[in-house]
Amino acid sequence: EVAAAIDGACRHFGFFGIVGHGVDPDLQVRLEHASHEFFGLPDDEKSEIGMVHAGRAWRGWFPVGGELTSGRPDRKEGIYFGADHPDDHHRLLAGTALHGANLRPRRPTELGPLVDAWLSEMFRVASAVLDGIALALGLPREWFRETITDDPTVLFRIFHYPPADPGDPSRADDWGVAEHTDYGLLTVLAQDHLGGLEVASPRGGWIAVDPLPGVFVCNLGDMLERLTNGRYRSTPHRVRNTSLQGRLSFPYFFDPSWDATVPVLPILDEERTADRPRWDGADVLAWDGTYGDYLTAKVAKVFPDLFTRT
């Protein structure tokens, strides 16, 4: 029954909400409090863990306007985390980009341990959701971890969207995050109570995704659209904070292994629901390469100067 519900949501929307995930609500409350404390610090202190200190590892803090989406600066700041790779990790020794150790702020001291706890919980939740997606596709429950997520690419972000300024007309089309799709397989998103996420409707227009207590939002990435031959949708979405308060969001990305090549399953054409041009004109079915190659090419557009760092 759950697999059938997932299948319907993935075909038509590419987004769905989950409950019953077993994550302690107090963990999110404490993570929100610590995150607000960090983003309330002066920029010079936040910059102690600036992305420049992580080099090509794609970790650390960036300021408002420091990230591009669809070629335009986002109106948000954030901290990037990922799998915490030790110095002797084989990909670090090989000079592979987007691998390295997480940068942890000096203040608040509890933020680092809370992120570690959140990463552990989200790994469990995302693994379970992918099991459900496998069943929805008529595959064995373990299909993903036995084929393309045996060593998943794990990324986590804490985003802070500054309060809206309704008196500034220049902010009318100033998006916290412009229209985009995610790159990999699955995103599990926790929102605070303010909202701001909008999802493209298959009938045109946009659907507001209201935050609900205890509900995590799941959405599909480009590689799942490719895997299912377009049967499942990697749906465009965007964010704008219209509140007079600073908004927080916590997206967790659970994606193919770095060296995985994502196949296109032999799903019949008549089962496809996304047989139409994508929002960005790209063709994920035509991609030929590893997921690491795909992600690196995308990141180079989001942070153009990342690969110039040593």
Side-chain angles (χ1 to χ4, degrees), residues 120-140:
S120 178
E121 285 289 77
M122 289 300 102
F123 190 98
R124 175 183 61 80
V125 170
S127 298
V129 173
L130 273 187
D131 286 352
I133 291 174
L135 295 175
L137 290 168
L139 300 169

mmCIF file of all heavy atoms in Angstrom, residues 120-140:
data_model
loop_
_atom_site.group_PDB
_atom_site.id
_atom_site.type_symbol
_atom_site.label_atom_id
_atom_site.label_comp_id
_atom_site.label_asym_id
_atom_site.label_seq_id
_atom_site.Cartn_x
_atom_site.Cartn_y
_atom_site.Cartn_z
ATOM 1 N N SER A 120 23.267 10.852 10.875
ATOM 2 C CA SER A 120 23.015 9.441 11.168
ATOM 3 C C SER A 120 21.540 9.096 10.999
ATOM 4 O O SER A 120 21.186 8.077 10.385
ATOM 5 C CB SER A 120 23.474 9.124 12.597
ATOM 6 O OG SER A 120 23.196 7.784 12.926
ATOM 7 N N GLU A 121 20.669 9.944 11.519
ATOM 8 C CA GLU A 121 19.232 9.693 11.398
ATOM 9 C C GLU A 121 18.762 9.783 9.944
ATOM 10 O O GLU A 121 17.952 8.975 9.483
ATOM 11 C CB GLU A 121 18.455 10.677 12.268
ATOM 12 C CG GLU A 121 18.499 10.384 13.750
ATOM 13 C CD GLU A 121 17.691 9.153 14.096
ATOM 14 O OE1 GLU A 121 18.189 8.019 13.845
ATOM 15 O OE2 GLU A 121 16.568 9.292 14.594
ATOM 16 N N MET A 122 19.254 10.775 9.213
ATOM 17 C CA MET A 122 18.818 10.934 7.836
ATOM 18 C C MET A 122 19.314 9.787 6.949
ATOM 19 O O MET A 122 18.622 9.382 6.007
ATOM 20 C CB MET A 122 19.310 12.266 7.267
ATOM 21 C CG MET A 122 18.611 13.487 7.847
ATOM 22 S SD MET A 122 16.813 13.512 7.587
ATOM 23 C CE MET A 122 16.256 12.990 9.226
ATOM 24 N N PHE A 123 20.484 9.241 7.239
ATOM 25 C CA PHE A 123 20.963 8.077 6.486
ATOM 26 C C PHE A 123 19.969 6.920 6.640
ATOM 27 O O PHE A 123 19.607 6.260 5.661
ATOM 28 C CB PHE A 123 22.345 7.660 6.983
ATOM 29 C CG PHE A 123 23.025 6.625 6.131
ATOM 30 C CD1 PHE A 123 23.965 6.997 5.187
ATOM 31 C CD2 PHE A 123 22.719 5.282 6.265
ATOM 32 C CE1 PHE A 123 24.592 6.049 4.384
ATOM 33 C CE2 PHE A 123 23.333 4.316 5.480
ATOM 34 C CZ PHE A 123 24.275 4.706 4.534
ATOM 35 N N ARG A 124 19.515 6.714 7.873
ATOM 36 C CA ARG A 124 18.545 5.650 8.123
ATOM 37 C C ARG A 124 17.229 5.918 7.399
ATOM 38 O O ARG A 124 16.670 5.026 6.745
ATOM 39 C CB ARG A 124 18.309 5.536 9.639
ATOM 40 C CG ARG A 124 17.242 4.539 10.033
ATOM 41 C CD ARG A 124 17.012 4.536 11.539
ATOM 42 N NE ARG A 124 16.569 5.822 12.058
ATOM 43 C CZ ARG A 124 15.311 6.256 11.981
ATOM 44 N NH1 ARG A 124 14.382 5.527 11.361
ATOM 45 N NH2 ARG A 124 14.969 7.423 12.499
ATOM 46 N N VAL A 125 16.742 7.150 7.489
ATOM 47 C CA VAL A 125 15.459 7.491 6.869
ATOM 48 C C VAL A 125 15.544 7.388 5.350
ATOM 49 O O VAL A 125 14.674 6.783 4.700
ATOM 50 C CB VAL A 125 15.022 8.905 7.300
ATOM 51 C CG1 VAL A 125 13.816 9.373 6.483
ATOM 52 C CG2 VAL A 125 14.693 8.936 8.790
ATOM 53 N N ALA A 126 16.588 7.979 4.760
ATOM 54 C CA ALA A 126 16.714 7.955 3.301
ATOM 55 C C ALA A 126 16.859 6.530 2.779
ATOM 56 O O ALA A 126 16.300 6.184 1.724
ATOM 57 C CB ALA A 126 17.909 8.800 2.875
ATOM 58 N N SER A 127 17.585 5.689 3.502
ATOM 59 C CA SER A 127 17.727 4.293 3.080
ATOM 60 C C SER A 127 16.368 3.595 3.051
ATOM 61 O O SER A 127 16.064 2.834 2.115
ATOM 62 C CB SER A 127 18.686 3.553 4.021
ATOM 63 O OG SER A 127 19.983 4.117 3.991
ATOM 64 N N ALA A 128 15.545 3.865 4.066
ATOM 65 C CA ALA A 128 14.217 3.258 4.121
ATOM 66 C C ALA A 128 13.327 3.761 2.986
ATOM 67 O O ALA A 128 12.576 2.989 2.374
ATOM 68 C CB ALA A 128 13.573 3.541 5.475
ATOM 69 N N VAL A 129 13.417 5.071 2.691
ATOM 70 C CA VAL A 129 12.602 5.628 1.605
ATOM 71 C C VAL A 129 13.012 5.006 0.262
ATOM 72 O O VAL A 129 12.158 4.653 -0.564
ATOM 73 C CB VAL A 129 12.713 7.155 1.564
ATOM 74 C CG1 VAL A 129 11.999 7.714 0.326
ATOM 75 C CG2 VAL A 129 12.107 7.768 2.819
ATOM 76 N N LEU A 130 14.316 4.847 0.039
ATOM 77 C CA LEU A 130 14.753 4.216 -1.207
ATOM 78 C C LEU A 130 14.308 2.766 -1.286
ATOM 79 O O LEU A 130 14.017 2.260 -2.378
ATOM 80 C CB LEU A 130 16.271 4.310 -1.353
ATOM 81 C CG LEU A 130 16.820 5.574 -2.004
ATOM 82 C CD1 LEU A 130 18.325 5.434 -2.244
ATOM 83 C CD2 LEU A 130 16.122 5.891 -3.334
ATOM 84 N N ASP A 131 14.237 2.075 -0.146
ATOM 85 C CA ASP A 131 13.663 0.725 -0.146
ATOM 86 C C ASP A 131 12.223 0.781 -0.662
ATOM 87 O O ASP A 131 11.793 -0.064 -1.459
ATOM 88 C CB ASP A 131 13.669 0.138 1.270
ATOM 89 C CG ASP A 131 15.052 -0.295 1.731
ATOM 90 O OD1 ASP A 131 15.996 -0.292 0.908
ATOM 91 O OD2 ASP A 131 15.184 -0.635 2.923
ATOM 92 N N GLY A 132 11.461 1.774 -0.185
ATOM 93 C CA GLY A 132 10.075 1.916 -0.640
ATOM 94 C C GLY A 132 9.987 2.239 -2.118
ATOM 95 O O GLY A 132 9.095 1.740 -2.819
ATOM 96 N N ILE A 133 10.894 3.079 -2.611
ATOM 97 C CA ILE A 133 10.900 3.411 -4.036
ATOM 98 C C ILE A 133 11.239 2.173 -4.872
ATOM 99 O O ILE A 133 10.659 1.946 -5.939
ATOM 100 C CB ILE A 133 11.880 4.564 -4.310
ATOM 101 C CG1 ILE A 133 11.327 5.858 -3.695
ATOM 102 C CG2 ILE A 133 12.112 4.757 -5.810
ATOM 103 C CD1 ILE A 133 12.271 7.045 -3.781
ATOM 104 N N ALA A 134 12.173 1.362 -4.386
ATOM 105 C CA ALA A 134 12.493 0.120 -5.092
ATOM 106 C C ALA A 134 11.258 -0.765 -5.208
ATOM 107 O O ALA A 134 10.946 -1.296 -6.288
ATOM 108 C CB ALA A 134 13.621 -0.618 -4.368
ATOM 109 N N LEU A 135 10.526 -0.935 -4.110
ATOM 110 C CA LEU A 135 9.304 -1.740 -4.153
ATOM 111 C C LEU A 135 8.269 -1.117 -5.083
ATOM 112 O O LEU A 135 7.544 -1.827 -5.799
ATOM 113 C CB LEU A 135 8.732 -1.890 -2.746
ATOM 114 C CG LEU A 135 9.598 -2.674 -1.744
ATOM 115 C CD1 LEU A 135 8.965 -2.632 -0.364
ATOM 116 C CD2 LEU A 135 9.787 -4.116 -2.206
ATOM 117 N N ALA A 136 8.189 0.224 -5.089
ATOM 118 C CA ALA A 136 7.245 0.903 -5.978
ATOM 119 C C ALA A 136 7.558 0.619 -7.440
ATOM 120 O O ALA A 136 6.649 0.590 -8.283
ATOM 121 C CB ALA A 136 7.279 2.408 -5.712
ATOM 122 N N LEU A 137 8.823 0.394 -7.745
ATOM 123 C CA LEU A 137 9.239 0.101 -9.121
ATOM 124 C C LEU A 137 9.194 -1.384 -9.448
ATOM 125 O O LEU A 137 9.554 -1.788 -10.557
ATOM 126 C CB LEU A 137 10.664 0.624 -9.348
ATOM 127 C CG LEU A 137 10.813 2.139 -9.381
ATOM 128 C CD1 LEU A 137 12.288 2.532 -9.308
ATOM 129 C CD2 LEU A 137 10.171 2.717 -10.641
ATOM 130 N N GLY A 138 8.766 -2.197 -8.481
ATOM 131 C CA GLY A 138 8.729 -3.637 -8.709
ATOM 132 C C GLY A 138 10.081 -4.306 -8.602
ATOM 133 O O GLY A 138 10.282 -5.417 -9.098
ATOM 134 N N LEU A 139 11.025 -3.632 -7.935
ATOM 135 C CA LEU A 139 12.372 -4.158 -7.748
ATOM 136 C C LEU A 139 12.507 -4.770 -6.354
ATOM 137 O O LEU A 139 11.711 -4.477 -5.459
ATOM 138 C CB LEU A 139 13.402 -3.035 -7.902
ATOM 139 C CG LEU A 139 13.427 -2.306 -9.250
ATOM 140 C CD1 LEU A 139 14.305 -1.058 -9.152
ATOM 141 C CD2 LEU A 139 13.925 -3.232 -10.346
ATOM 142 N N PRO A 140 13.522 -5.595 -6.124
ATOM 143 C CA PRO A 140 13.777 -6.064 -4.759
ATOM 144 C C PRO A 140 14.059 -4.894 -3.826
ATOM 145 O O PRO A 140 14.621 -3.880 -4.229
ATOM 146 C CB PRO A 140 15.022 -6.954 -4.918
ATOM 147 C CG PRO A 140 15.036 -7.356 -6.355
ATOM 148 C CD PRO A 140 14.448 -6.205 -7.108
#
